[in-house]
Amino acid sequence: MIRLYDTEPSGSCHKVRLLLSLLGLDHELVPVDFHGGEHRTPAFRKINPFGEIPVLVDGAITLRDSQSILVYLARRYGDESWLPLQPEAMARVMQWLSVAGNEIQNGPNPARRAVVFGRKFDLAAAQKASHRLLTVMDAHLRDRDWLAADHPTIADIACYPYLAVVPEGSVDLTPYPNVRAWIDQIESLPNAVPMPRQPAPTPD
Amino acid sequence: MIRLYDTEPSGSCHKVRLLLSLLGLDHELVPVDFHGGEHRTPAFRKINPFGEIPVLVDGAITLRDSQSILVYLARRYGDESWLPLQPEAMARVMQWLSVAGNEIQNGPNPARRAVVFGRKFDLAAAQKASHRLLTVMDAHLRDRDWLAADHPTIADIACYPYLAVVPEGSVDLTPYPNVRAWIDQIESLPNAVPMPRQPAPTPD
């Protein structure tokens, strides 16, 4: 049985939940008390020395880092469409895994954590970085349906969760119609599970 | 001919230069005036909309993001040892590509840019993050020679440059003997080129 150390509001965890569901893989969610700091405890650091979630356990294999877990699941359980092996095609997927781990982690993620969870981030800087990223992505998606190929790959799965909830960081998605269409497309894939939305902190 | 848009002091560029050299691939370096902001100009954004270097051009293929370029070069020109295809083995490489793109980018890199290049980063935070990372890496390397396999992979190439010059960010490597031995090992690989060290900003 596959086990996923997980917390519900995390987009990093959700990308793994989404691929598990798309691939139809039975799994057990192990809730980690993220706000209580369980992931930073010595006990949890024995599972992941970096003190972060998600962590995937599949039999004797323990893996940290959401992008790496997507690579593992795609290679082990998916067909080659999720992570193509041809050099250029694989590198094009990797480019967007890097965006998921860098530009999205430094823009949409902290904007949302500041607004929804009251964390101390530079909200204006995170919102500005989000708009910079969304501008590039919207242009990229102008003449294509998926980020890295002519079909969905783990690049789309990796980038989707924090972009689906970027309005929670008070970043308006209206100017980015291609990004909105791409989000809808991912949520329409067979067996897709949408990123859970948080209740608004103030009335609309 | 392979062309690499490059700037000499960049560790992100150096990881590509290092793998090109290890693989014995002829290439041309195209210097980008990083400090003059050439990578942020509209002309450069036509090559990479994210406005970053390195960028690799190989015939009709243009790739951004240093980790993605390593994946491409390993898959196209290397043998499978540089990037194993077996699911767990590939994911273990990917874990360290993520560390190169995240923990190293948020610790050793800004510490060095603050000290050597006078950039406005929170130096104390970057140094603290560097020590946290080095502590995990030194423990990881206690009973292994290479980060992700029993031989060098692109994981080692990706993590090496900014760690080789982490003392330039006033982060002492003395407490991390396994990291130091690993740096020496990489620099001893046939055809390796060491990360260029910057002159000290103040006398020792």
Side-chain angles (χ1 to χ4, degrees), chain B residues 42-61:
Chain B
F44 195 82
R45 283 186 197 273
K46 284 187 187 162
I47 302 170
N48 178 4
F50 285 88
E52 288 168 350
I53 47 174
V55 170
L56 186 96
V57 178
D58 186 5
I61 299 170

Side-chain angles (χ1 to χ4, degrees), chain A residues 78-107:
Chain A
D79 62 50
E80 210 182 289
S81 75
W82 290 104
L83 177 58
L85 294 183
Q86 189 271 343
E88 180 186 0
M90 183 181 276
R92 299 227 170 269
V93 171
M94 183 66 210
Q95 287 183 330
W96 292 99
L97 297 187
S98 290
V99 169
N102 184 340
E103 283 80 2
I104 292 178
Q105 281 300 323
N106 294 320

Side-chain angles (χ1 to χ4, degrees), chain A residues 52 61-65 67-68 71-72 75-76 85 87-88 90-92 94-96 98 103, chain B residues 52 61-65 67-68 71-72 75-76 85 87-88 90-92 94-96 98 103 136:
Chain A
E52 287 168 350
I61 299 171
T62 299
L63 291 168
R64 60 176 168 79
D65 181 66
Q67 271 66 250
S68 307
V71 165
Y72 171 75
R75 287 289 304 140
R76 176 145 183 195
L85 294 183
E88 180 186 0
M90 183 181 276
R92 299 227 170 269
M94 183 66 210
Q95 287 183 330
W96 292 99
S98 290
E103 283 80 2
Chain B
E52 288 168 350
I61 299 170
T62 299
L63 291 168
R64 60 176 169 80
D65 180 67
Q67 272 65 251
S68 307
V71 165
Y72 170 77
R75 286 290 304 141
R76 175 143 185 196
L85 294 183
E88 181 186 0
M90 182 180 276
R92 298 225 171 271
M94 182 67 211
Q95 287 183 329
W96 292 100
S98 290
E103 283 81 2
V136 172

Side-chain angles (χ1 to χ4, degrees), chain A residues 127-128 130-139 166 171-183:
Chain A
Q127 290 169 330
K128 197 175 159 190
S130 300
H131 284 294
R132 256 200 318 266
L133 170 64
L134 286 163
T135 301
V136 173
M137 290 187 77
D138 204 66
V166 73
V171 174
D172 184 9
L173 267 180
T174 311
Y176 310 108
N178 304 314
V179 173
R180 287 187 285 116
W182 166 82
I183 290 170

